Amino acid sequence: MKKSILSLTSAVLFVFSTNAQKVEFEEYNLDNGMHVILHQDNSAPVVTTSVMYHVGAKDEQPDRTGMAHFFEHLLFEGTQNIGKGEWFKIVSSNGGRNNANTTDDRTYYYEIFPSNKLELGLWMESERLLHPIIKQGGVDTQNEVVKEEKRLRVDNQPYSRFLEYVKVNMFKKHPYKGTTIGKMKHLDDATLKEFLAFNKKFYVPNNATLVVAGDIDVNATKKMIQDYFGPIPRGENIIRTNIKEDPITEQMNAKGYDPNIQIPAVMAAYRTPSMKTRDSRILDMISSYLSSGKSSVMYKKLVDTKKMALQAGAINLSQEDYGTYILYALPQGETKLKDLVKEIDEEIVTLQSDLISEKNYQKLQNKFENNFVNSNSSVEGVANSLARYNVLYGDTNLINTEIDIYRSITKEEIREVAKKYLNPNQRLILEYLPEKK
């Protein structure tokens, strides 16, 4: 019976591998330093135009947090040729949709149009880069928008501040200690001159990667890109400071408070290496093993079997400079937070001592194969992946080869990486508690 199960697993892996088509792309630089990536997929009359800027919350001044996220909003205000409030109307009236998002490491804008509107998408993104209107009125408008977003997503959402508390305790020097949305006072205090300076520094072609993916004619697309983006002046080179954190050598303990919760939580957080490392990918696998789905190790133990927790899981927050690995649980009934930590630690010690079973190892491989196929199943997903791998990893072809790294990870490596990073003297224990109003 066991042999039959393994044979079936191998067959599933083979199907995933054969269905995972190689993503063909072409990349080159414009004279102004903008990096361009083209992916042709004529299977549907759809095209994605996107631009990823290598600027995020970590690039802000300590007393001006929230700038990168603020610009994500501000640069929809309009341009010299797109009126205030017209951006979204133009997109929707032409059968498209668009959005943007910001992390600690980058800011990403994209439009998805019928393929006969490709030129419109390119023009709009070139307008955002070349002719943005940054005036006090727009700053004031978006300031209120960001404040409302913070109220909805952070101030009034249960458990929404746990990452904020983890990061501020985990990082002492690196700007990852802040939040992407930043402090509202910093945005209130920022002058128009500072907003203009931020735009001039980071929103330049040599800090941007343009991706066009979908139903395109490559030669015609190249000409349009040259026409719309080629004349944009190159910006000054951006000098980045590589800020190093001191190693964590003894357990840190902290508390965080949330007025929106009644049930506390506990987090064990560990500082881990850059997402570009092999170890970070192994931690992805460990996270999946411990907490992906109701059949995962931690959920079955703490929630189903012992009924000590309402929820339990693991998060591998992979970022460009460092990662943060978080194990968490919410107690059920009279369970103490320290008892949840004890149970979590027992599971980690088992992982550090014994190899995971062949069955669980094959389940992990299947999951990552499935994730790989799904991430490249649409031109929208492909565009995002191409931009991300280029900007944050410096290797666009990881869209095709990163899965090989996961395939090559062994059970022995999983054990050794757990030993290397997930130790009590290398962590933060955060008690996340209800705040009495």
Side-chain angles (χ1 to χ4, degrees):
M1 180 66 179
K2 183 177 180 182
K3 185 176 181 180
S4 299
I5 292 172
L6 291 177
S7 298
L8 177 60
T9 300
S10 298
V12 170
L13 279 169
F14 176 76
V15 170
F16 277 135
S17 299
T18 53
N19 284 343
Q21 297 292 324
K22 181 179 179 182
V23 176
E24 300 287 350
F25 62 90
E26 178 180 351
E27 58 184 333
Y28 61 97
N29 288 325
L30 299 180
D31 290 343
N32 59 17
M34 172 172 266
H35 194 71
V36 178
I37 306 173
L38 304 179
H39 166 67
Q40 185 180 45
D41 179 353
N42 302 122
S43 60
V46 177
V47 66
T48 296
T49 56
S50 66
V51 182
M52 184 172 285
Y53 295 90
H54 198 178
V55 56
K58 73 178 182 186
D59 299 296
E60 300 158 352
Q61 296 298 316
D63 60 349
R64 289 294 181 267
T65 61
M67 272 276 196
H69 172 256
F70 191 88
F71 261 81
E72 174 203 319
H73 290 263
L74 186 60
L75 293 185
F76 283 106
E77 270 288 300
T79 72
Q80 291 179 19
N81 298 298
I82 299 175
K84 183 179 175 67
E86 293 296 312
W87 189 285
F88 294 99
K89 293 179 183 178
I90 293 173
V91 173
S92 60
S93 65
N94 283 278
R97 55 188 175 90
N98 70 302
N99 213 329
N101 51 71
T102 308
T103 70
D104 286 343
D105 298 313
R106 92 295 179 274
T107 306
Y108 185 60
Y109 302 86
Y110 65 92
E111 294 82 30
I112 302 163
F113 276 119
S115 53
N116 62 353
K117 299 296 182 181
L118 167 61
E119 187 168 5
L120 175 63
L122 292 173
W123 172 73
M124 294 183 78
E125 285 302 333
S126 70
E127 276 290 298
R128 192 197 309 273
L129 185 55
L130 185 59
H131 297 132
I133 292 180
I134 300 173
K135 294 183 177 180
Q136 192 62 51
V139 168
D140 293 342
T141 298
Q142 295 306 321
N143 196 315
E144 291 305 314
V145 171
V146 170
K147 285 179 179 177
E148 182 60 21
E149 180 181 342
K150 184 175 183 293
R151 283 190 285 268
L152 288 172
R153 295 187 179 183
V154 180
D155 297 345
N156 298 317
Q157 283 292 324
Y159 303 100
S160 61
R161 296 184 63 191
F162 86 87
L163 186 57
E164 176 182 347
Y165 283 113
V166 167
K167 291 173 70 175
V168 77
N169 286 283
M170 183 66 63
F171 295 98
K172 307 302 181 183
K173 302 176 183 178
H174 196 282
Y176 283 165
K177 64 186 176 183
T179 63
T180 306
I181 204 162
K183 297 183 183 299
M184 295 302 99
K185 184 180 186 305
H186 292 173
L187 294 176
D188 289 340
D189 292 344
T191 65
L192 181 60
K193 183 179 179 181
E194 288 174 310
F195 285 108
L196 290 167
F198 191 90
N199 182 76
K200 182 180 180 181
K201 180 177 181 179
F202 292 109
Y203 279 82
V204 290
N206 45 302
N207 195 45
T209 291
L210 167 68
V211 179
V212 182
D215 183 26
I216 62 172
D217 176 284
V218 172
N219 289 331
T221 301
K222 285 182 176 180
K223 184 180 185 309
M224 285 186 276
I225 289 171
Q226 181 60 41
D227 290 344
Y228 286 112
F229 293 92
I232 301 174
R234 180 186 180 94
E236 293 185 14
N237 292 335
I238 298 170
I239 299 173
R240 302 180 189 276
T241 304
N242 188 11
I243 300 174
K244 295 288 187 181
E245 286 283 347
D246 296 326
I248 299 171
T249 57
E250 59 182 30
Q251 179 173 300
M252 301 180 290
N253 298 284
K255 294 180 179 181
Y257 296 92
D258 188 336
N260 302 303
I261 66 171
Q262 295 179 327
I263 299 171
V266 66
M267 289 89 183
Y270 308 78
R271 191 190 307 138
T272 52
S274 162
M275 62 188 183
K276 292 180 274 192
T277 63
R278 183 177 180 87
D279 283 358
S280 179
R281 294 172 172 103
I282 296 171
L283 286 162
D284 282 340
M285 281 200 152
I286 293 174
S287 177
S288 184
Y289 169 74
L290 290 174
S291 73
S292 181
K294 293 186 177 181
S295 64
S296 64
V297 172
M298 279 179 54
Y299 192 96
K300 284 177 66 176
K301 177 183 180 180
L302 292 175
V303 179
D304 284 347
T305 304
K306 294 197 171 184
K307 302 190 185 307
M308 295 176 66
L310 295 169
Q311 185 59 269
I315 302 168
N316 185 30
L317 179 60
S318 301
Q319 295 182 277
E320 187 177 18
D321 297 342
Y322 288 100
T324 306
Y325 194 88
I326 304 170
L327 299 160
Y328 68 91
L330 278 69
Q332 178 160 247
E334 299 301 315
T335 303
K336 300 287 191 294
L337 295 182
K338 65 179 181 179
D339 293 332
L340 289 176
V341 173
K342 180 181 177 182
E343 295 290 335
I344 290 171
D345 282 349
E346 286 180 3
E347 209 55 56
I348 296 301
V349 169
T350 300
L351 193 60
Q352 293 170 331
S353 306
D354 305 326
L355 297 179
I356 65 172
S357 70
E358 183 64 21
K359 178 181 177 182
N360 283 326
Y361 177 71
Q362 292 298 338
K363 280 175 64 177
L364 282 176
Q365 290 290 346
N366 291 349
K367 178 177 175 55
F368 280 84
E369 291 277 355
N370 190 36
N371 290 345
F372 170 68
V373 172
N374 288 338
S375 66
N376 296 334
S377 62
S378 68
V379 291
E380 180 181 351
V382 168
N384 187 305
S385 294
L386 288 169
R388 178 168 52 87
Y389 284 125
N390 176 260
V391 172
L392 300 182
Y393 293 79
D395 182 1
T396 312
N397 198 45
L398 278 170
I399 194 171
N400 293 310
T401 61
E402 187 177 43
I403 188 59
D404 295 328
I405 300 174
Y406 286 105
R407 287 172 181 151
S408 70
I409 291 170
T410 66
K411 291 184 282 186
E412 288 78 10
E413 285 181 295
I414 290 172
R415 181 181 61 190
E416 293 310 308
V417 165
K419 284 183 184 179
K420 186 175 181 180
Y421 297 106
L422 306 183
N423 299 301
N425 67 318
Q426 296 170 278
R427 71 182 179 189
L428 163 73
I429 294 294
L430 174 72
E431 295 184 2
Y432 192 78
L433 307 170
E435 181 179 7
K436 295 179 181 180
K437 295 183 179 180

